[in-house]
Amino acid sequence: MPTLTIDGIEVEVEQGTTVLQAAEQAGIEIPRFCYHERLSIAGNCRMCLVEVSPGPPKPAASCALPAGEGMEVKTNTEKVKKYREGVMEFLLINHPLDCPICDQGGECDLQDQSMAYGIGDNRYNEKRRVVKEKNMGPLIRTIMTRCIHCTRCVRFADEIAGVPSLGAIGRGENTQITTYNEQAFASEMSGNVVDLCPVGALTSKPYTFKARPWELKNTETIDVHDALGSNIRIDSRGRAVMRALPRIHEEVNEEWISDKTRHAVDGLAKNRIDRPYVKKGGKLVEATWAEAFEVIAKKLNGLNGDQIAGLVGDLCDAESMYAFKAMMISLGAEIDCRQDGSRVGAKQRVGYLFNSGVAGIDDADACLLIGSNPRHEIPVLNARLRQRWLTNKCKVANVGPDVDLSYKVEQLGDSAAILQDILDGKNDFAETLKSAEKPMLILGQGALNRDDSAHIIKLAHDIADKYEFVSGDWNGFNVLHTAASRVAALDMGLVTDGGVEGILSGAESGDVKVIYNLGADEVDRNRLKKAFVIYQGSHGDEGVRSADVVLPGVAYTEKPGTYLNTEGRVQKAQRAIFGPGEAREDWTIFRALSEVIGKTLSFDDIAELRAAMTKDYPAFAQLDRKPTAPWADIGVAGNVSKDGFTHAITDFYGTNPIARSSKTMDECRDAMNDAGQTKGATGTNG
């Protein structure tokens, strides 16, 4: 490990560390524009110049200079200051004076560094270069005259997103950054280039001229648009959510979020349910809370528990589901959370967790995808798989439809019978699994919503056993969920023997007379016509169309809540704004309704609820830790169908009521179609 001196401070660093990284370890700031710790080194902005001895007589770019034994680095000499001021002058030659109207104002690296390292004057009188705006789709607004050619966006597209559609054309002062044929940047993570851009060349198109950063209240919370539980920051003004930005969490989302997480927030203000409704004369009419509760109480009166059933949607927090379960149990009713038809059980926790952890992908040396399209199900996790694949230390194979995941995948076929061949050693990929030290498999919801899902789970379990997916502290058996609420619901046992299909069949036959629907908008509403349906949710989506009573809940940005992501990690969401009109937190609705129906719940505030919940489910008290579950026998032995898999998500931009209410998501869908992309994965194979 080399030891060097930086501004008189001795630092010992790992081999391969750059001088810039070594300076950061010593607590010394070196300005930069092109360098980013998660991207390859470009070394083209020259802002990070330092004096090095022994070394060249002129200052060197610290981002591209490996730290060496005995090296002496000076970052604050007069020569370094002069060179940095010169670099800043060159960067500002063509940069327009747009700060008063630039959306990057107040958050701009160029602003900050020109104040800290610039000369405060301009010696150039020539006309500035003008570059026309480029089309990068509905999410990215381009003002390319501001571009300083740091190429962060290009490297992100190539290396992280795996969609190399961004690049530079021209040479010298005629260099321009653009997309191929000026089509939309066809990635589910394209919005991250706005965060990466150190100037105002790339800004958020939906957020254009909406707010200044100093006007906003920042709330750290959790995303619910997929099951990753990305750490995000909600910026709000008054009672309006203005934008969602990523927070760094190395073990979950690093510092990336998907476009749906970032830009579906405009759907929070549209199509909202803001007061109770009761159906009268075939039409829903406004009602008071007391009237709505009275109608529900009369309908429940005299019914047996098997005549009542509950459905749980994909965006619910653990507190809401716990209160819902407590109320429904008091009525003798059952609840099911698997509205997508998943057959995954709730008895063995190891059978429904992403056991290796998301960060475990960084250690895997073989990965078998089964009925999963992670690029649409969890784009950020897919990007992590791509990063591991890029190291050439992990081979990836797929059992399912042939899709573009942004990296090369060995396509084994589209039949579940292939799993038996792998188990028997008749498939070539079996040798890869056999020689791997840390193999993993990922069971997607496309493998879990079939009639033979229990048999597929058993085959996956046996493959994991045979090829030693589970050894020591490594467990490579993983289930990839698509619903933010699913793991917490499974932990609470919100499953029935017949599943959601059994509940819907009961409603069709008339055996189930009352359905309490907690935000489940993906079920077939036509099968609920004979039942009395209570819908509780935040948006007037599909669930409302079949409802006899509508109760207004709040969205994820409007309540504190607990969510468990696909790996079982417990994370806390916080309230950013209050809900519209008479909308209330879901658990408070259940508490009030339980009193009306004579089954009063035992808690009066969220602290008491959480205390009861963590007492019943101690795992919920372990905040922000990847859990471990003992390996167990899961699945049922039997023959699997030769039918192909169907992916759980066919429309990435419309997976839930919030996304379907978002105008921005509609524009993204149209842009993908116009660019010749389908609802499947887009781009190229890296």
Side-chain angles (χ1 to χ4, degrees), residues 38 159-161 189 228 249-256 354 357-363 374 378-391 394 396 405-407 567 569:
R38 301 190 195 277
E159 299 163 13
I160 307 298
M189 297 176 61
L228 182 63
H249 193 306
E250 297 293 348
E251 295 185 355
V252 179
N253 59 301
E254 296 180 295
E255 62 181 78
W256 317 120
F354 201 93
V358 175
I361 293 171
D362 299 342
D363 299 321
I378 303 183
V380 177
L381 182 143
N382 187 66
R384 198 151 192 162
L385 275 169
R386 172 178 167 77
Q387 290 301 294
R388 183 58 179 167
W389 171 82
L390 283 172
T391 65
C394 182
V396 184
L405 297 177
S406 77
Y407 46 90
E567 60 185 357
R569 184 184 299 269

Side-chain angles (χ1 to χ4, degrees), residues 158-180:
D158 287 351
E159 299 163 13
I160 307 298
V163 183
S165 59
L166 280 174
I169 59 173
R171 299 182 68 183
E173 68 175 357
N174 296 317
T175 301
Q176 298 181 24
I177 303 295
T178 184
T179 56
Y180 181 72

Side-chain angles (χ1 to χ4, degrees), residues 6-20:
I6 306 176
D7 292 345
I9 301 174
E10 191 174 277
V11 186
E12 186 179 25
V13 297
E14 294 184 4
Q15 193 69 39
T17 301
T18 66
V19 170
L20 188 149

Side-chain angles (χ1 to χ4, degrees), residues 495-629:
V495 296
T496 61
D497 292 339
V500 170
E501 175 60 30
I503 293 174
L504 296 179
S505 297
E508 285 182 306
S509 67
D511 293 335
V512 177
K513 300 186 181 301
V514 174
I515 301 286
Y516 203 126
N517 183 343
L518 178 59
D521 289 276
E522 319 305 324
V523 297
D524 185 357
R525 59 185 172 84
N526 293 318
R527 303 181 66 181
L528 301 175
K529 291 180 178 178
K530 292 184 179 180
F532 181 88
V533 178
I534 306 158
Y535 179 80
Q536 183 173 317
S538 61
H539 284 68
D541 203 65
E542 288 298 309
V544 172
R545 298 175 186 271
S546 60
D548 295 283
V549 175
V550 176
L551 303 177
V554 294
Y556 71 104
T557 55
E558 299 158 1
K559 60 183 174 182
T562 303
Y563 294 90
L564 277 66
N565 72 353
T566 190
E567 60 185 357
R569 184 184 299 269
V570 181
Q571 300 187 106
K572 287 279 199 270
Q574 303 298 331
R575 179 193 292 115
I577 61 172
F578 287 93
E582 298 182 45
R584 299 290 182 267
E585 294 176 34
D586 291 309
W587 76 266
T588 64
I589 297 174
F590 295 127
R591 173 62 180 80
L593 177 59
S594 68
E595 193 168 340
V596 174
I597 63 177
K599 306 287 185 180
T600 304
L601 298 179
S602 60
F603 38 81
D604 296 323
D605 57 44
I606 195 167
E608 292 181 2
L609 187 158
R610 284 176 170 169
M613 182 174 70
T614 53
K615 181 180 179 181
D616 290 344
Y617 307 104
F620 287 18
Q622 304 297 317
L623 289 179
D624 201 22
R625 298 181 187 175
K626 185 191 80 65
T628 57

